Amino acid sequence: MAAVKKGDTLVLVGTRKGLFLFHSRDRKRWSSRGPYFEGDTIRHAILDPDNGKTVFAGVTSEHWGPVVARSTDFGGKWSIPKEGPRFSKESGISVTKLWQLQKGAEDDLYVGVEPAGLFRSEDDGATWSSDDGLNYREGRDKWEPGGGGLCLHTILPYPGDSKRMLVGISAAGIFATKDAGESWSMYDAGIRWYGKQKLYDREDLSTCVHKMVRDPQDPAIVYQQNHAGMYRRTRGDPAWKIIENGLPISKSTGGAFGFPIAAHPHDRATAYAVPLVGDYNRVTPGGAMAVSCTTDGGKHWTKMTKGLPQRDAWFTVLREGLRTDSNDPAGVYVGTTTGQLYNSRDDGNSWQLMADHLPQVQSVEAGIVGGR
Amino acid sequence: MGDASGGSVEVYVPYPLRGLTNGVGTVELHAANLGQAIAELNRRFPGLAYRILDDQGRLRRFVNAFVNDEPVSHLSPNDVPLRAGDVVTILPSVAGG
């Protein structure tokens, strides 16, 4: 097994059946490790961006419960805690799945779970504390699940400000805190009603957010792939704005459909998405795979297809299935539900098949060994 | 019905959990009910109870338990009495994909 070295790009691929790690010096020749956690679902795994050394994996055993495992030698040994995050006895609910892991602004670790909940760890996942302000928020009994379950799948800390955070819950909506999770308010105005040319005029209406990402160059700007379209919002905006020029429009929702969205690590206003036909047929349009890119904050999107399959490619890319690395030019990675992993090392302009025949890809994450 | 300290019972630990029991598949212990048996298992093998019970102390959705040949998964573990000589079997449901 090839050694993982400082400066390598590490790509973490969570699948329906275990975790796979890929590493490379030049992003042309890749070495692989794993699978780890045989038979278990890895909906997300990350390389700690602060030290570039610790891998955290959200391990969900459908039978035996979920835990966040940790390795400091890229899978050689895993530290598996005795317990995972738990809801209170009074709540009457139990954590069944882990969805997203995210480092916070204070070297803390967050995990989003199903049924929807947010937990925080100050000891690298050994123990967890509940964000009671969100987890037991009044009205949670009215939260409805999306097709993937009632899951908290997106956690967006605000760089340098530990009091601010956005989270996305399918299909309860988007929630924002400005007081480190003591209180939360909804953040859904501007999303279109399903299939109608009518927009939510209130923040506190549930929408099916699929994924959100901050613009790394201006983290107040957030891009959102929703069940009912593609959106952008920045601080001070009274509502989300539709940004769909150049994206295929779903006949059912009336908006651009897909699951993931990713931001370029360096280029302001540059983001990537993977359009699908619609919620009634969640596959690549026409069996031709494309990653769509905007370089102007969503005013226009263009298809990037060079090297991607343009026929007989009928698959889905799930909400964590698209990521960028922090290299220059940026690497972009896409994992499919049929087990292909594609990568670009030129900002998405051209693509290569990096791995095939993987189990269904649940998540793709990328980092640089040794730190940012 | 076992007494408070419980009689000696045998607990079968399924293969996927034996990473927590150092490979041990059968454990003898004293318990008056299934909840006590799981607590004793967890005392000997920390972390085992979390794998069997959910946040509310119920058997996880896809975990089955039998006392001798009787299914008891639908009961609260503390409400499942054990007698000396009982055999407790913990199994994963035949579920998944």
Side-chain angles (χ1 to χ4, degrees), chain B residues 22-87:
Chain B
N22 303 314
V24 172
T26 303
V27 180
E28 276 198 28
L29 50 80
H30 286 74
N33 59 55
L34 181 58
Q36 288 183 11
I38 293 170
E40 175 60 17
L41 279 176
N42 196 61
R43 191 187 66 78
R44 297 189 196 182
F45 309 110
L48 202 54
Y50 176 78
R51 299 300 188 159
I52 297 169
L53 304 175
D54 68 13
D55 304 1
Q56 305 306 319
R58 303 170 296 222
L59 287 169
R60 289 189 179 277
R61 183 180 175 196
F62 295 120
V63 174
N64 289 328
F66 299 82
V67 176
N68 304 318
D69 292 332
E70 289 299 313
V72 296
S73 310
H74 57 293
L75 300 171
S76 170
N78 290 336
D79 294 338
V80 178
L82 298 177
R83 295 184 175 85
D86 280 348
V87 175

Side-chain angles (χ1 to χ4, degrees), chain A residues 289 307-309 332-334 336 340-343 351-354:
Chain A
M289 183 186 180
L308 295 174
V332 192
Y333 306 85
V334 186
T336 74
Q340 291 81 37
L341 177 65
Y342 293 95
N343 81 304
W351 298 83
Q352 302 82 40
L353 181 66
M354 187 170 146

Side-chain angles (χ1 to χ4, degrees), chain A residues 43-331:
Chain A
R43 286 188 178 75
H44 199 207
I46 61 172
L47 176 67
D48 187 334
D50 296 324
N51 64 20
K53 182 179 179 186
T54 306
V55 172
F56 296 103
V59 184
T60 295
S61 164
E62 304 293 338
H63 291 95
W64 310 112
V67 293
V68 176
R70 177 171 61 93
S71 175
T72 54
D73 60 0
F74 307 101
K77 286 184 181 174
W78 290 95
S79 171
I80 299 179
K82 302 302 180 195
E83 295 191 0
R86 288 175 180 270
F87 287 112
S88 69
K89 290 281 185 190
E90 296 73 28
S91 72
I93 53 177
S94 298
V95 176
T96 57
K97 298 174 183 174
L98 305 183
W99 277 82
Q100 198 190 38
L101 294 165
Q102 196 67 256
K103 283 300 293 280
E106 294 185 335
D107 199 30
D108 42 359
L109 182 67
Y110 287 88
V111 65
V113 309
E114 180 182 335
L118 180 67
F119 293 83
R120 176 173 179 261
S121 176
E122 294 180 325
D123 54 12
D124 287 341
T127 60
W128 295 92
S129 57
S130 161
D131 187 315
D132 290 351
L134 182 70
N135 294 349
Y136 310 123
R137 188 175 191 269
E138 188 177 346
R140 113 157 255 144
D141 58 328
K142 296 182 178 64
W143 292 354
E144 293 290 338
L150 179 59
C151 53
L152 194 155
H153 55 66
T154 299
I155 305 166
L156 294 184
Y158 197 93
D161 184 348
S162 60
K163 293 189 182 305
R164 286 181 178 274
M165 180 179 284
L166 284 177
V167 299
I169 298 175
S170 285
I174 301 161
F175 296 82
T177 182
K178 297 175 184 174
D179 56 13
E182 288 289 318
S183 63
W184 296 78
S185 56
M186 293 187 72
Y187 197 64
D188 293 87
I191 308 297
R192 66 162 60 79
W193 289 81
Y194 185 100
K196 299 178 183 175
Q197 294 307 314
K198 178 183 171 188
L199 306 178
Y200 282 12
D201 57 2
R202 288 163 44 191
E203 300 281 19
D204 60 345
L205 292 170
S206 290
T207 71
C208 189
V209 51
H210 282 184
K211 181 52 62 181
M212 299 182 290
V213 67
R214 293 192 189 277
D215 186 325
Q217 301 307 307
D218 184 350
I221 299 171
V222 180
Y223 302 98
Q224 181 202 165
Q225 173 72 72
N226 189 283
H227 195 102
M230 186 71 82
Y231 302 87
R232 176 188 189 274
R233 190 170 182 178
T234 191
R235 191 176 298 163
D237 285 348
W240 292 91
K241 295 174 181 172
I242 294 172
I243 51 166
E244 296 174 338
N245 186 14
L247 292 173
I249 299 302
S250 162
K251 292 174 185 171
S252 57
T253 64
F257 188 84
F259 287 102
I261 186 159
H264 193 284
H266 315 298
D267 294 350
R268 185 187 172 98
T270 298
Y272 303 89
V274 181
L276 301 177
V277 173
D279 56 354
Y280 57 95
N281 187 21
R282 301 170 183 206
V283 299
T284 45
M289 183 186 180
V291 173
S292 290
C293 176
T294 179
T295 58
D296 56 11
K299 291 185 181 126
H300 305 86
W301 294 84
T302 55
K303 285 205 300 187
M304 295 173 148
T305 60
K306 187 178 178 184
L308 295 174
Q310 294 305 292
R311 54 178 294 183
D312 302 329
W314 305 100
F315 48 68
T316 292
V317 174
L318 297 175
R319 67 179 88 246
E320 295 291 350
L322 173 69
R323 279 296 190 280
T324 56
D325 65 27
S326 58
N327 291 299
D328 188 10

